Amino acid sequence: MKKILCLILICIFLVGCSDDISDENREPQEEITYTYEDVDATITYIDMQKWFAICPRWEWEIEVEYDGMTYEEDDYASGGMNGPSFADSREGDSIRVEITNKYVNGELVDRYISEIR
């Protein structure tokens, strides 16, 4: 009885391991790649709050624009070394941002501001 059970389990295992997927039926996959570049954008809106409670704390809303693209961020930070790079900036100031370019099969399909540096 044990031999028959083992034989059945081995057959099930071997059938499950077969490679019956042919390359002919497979659709070509898209090749997606990304590139990144740092550029100077312009601050169009900024609301920065800073206070001290045991350690420095910041809370901000910021909007930047570059080449027709906009990026909005609403965040906070605390700690002596965690202040945002734009803590003392004003509207109209220049700020460094990262642009992400998305390519599908070598063709540019999307471009956006991904973060403030």
Side-chain angles (χ1 to χ4, degrees):
M1 183 68 178
K2 288 183 182 180
K3 289 181 183 180
I4 295 173
L5 183 60
C6 286
L7 186 59
I8 292 171
L9 290 175
I10 289 172
C11 288
I12 291 172
F13 176 74
L14 291 176
V15 169
C17 292
S18 69
D19 186 20
D20 60 350
I21 299 174
S22 67
D23 289 337
E24 297 169 6
N25 297 336
R26 215 178 267 181
E27 294 181 23
Q29 291 187 349
E30 297 177 337
E31 181 184 345
I32 299 174
T33 56
Y34 295 91
T35 60
Y36 306 94
E37 58 184 296
D38 288 340
V39 297
D40 290 324
T42 304
I43 298 174
T44 56
Y45 174 78
I46 187 167
D47 180 20
M48 175 70 64
Q49 305 294 321
K50 181 182 178 185
W51 67 95
F52 190 85
I54 300 178
C55 65
R57 297 171 192 246
W58 295 268
E59 186 173 347
W60 64 87
E61 288 180 41
I62 187 169
E63 183 177 306
V64 298
E65 183 177 317
Y66 174 78
D67 198 26
M69 297 177 283
T70 58
Y71 175 80
E72 296 176 12
E73 186 174 287
D74 182 2
D75 210 352
Y76 66 93
S78 62
M81 306 300 270
N82 293 332
S85 61
F86 49 86
D88 297 324
S89 299
R90 295 192 171 127
E91 288 182 22
D93 287 352
S94 182
I95 189 169
R96 203 78 171 151
V97 297
E98 180 182 77
I99 302 288
T100 300
N101 300 302
K102 179 182 178 181
Y103 296 90
V104 176
N105 295 331
E107 235 178 275
L108 181 65
V109 294
D110 196 12
R111 188 168 194 232
Y112 56 92
I113 299 172
S114 52
E115 69 176 314
I116 296 174
R117 291 293 190 170

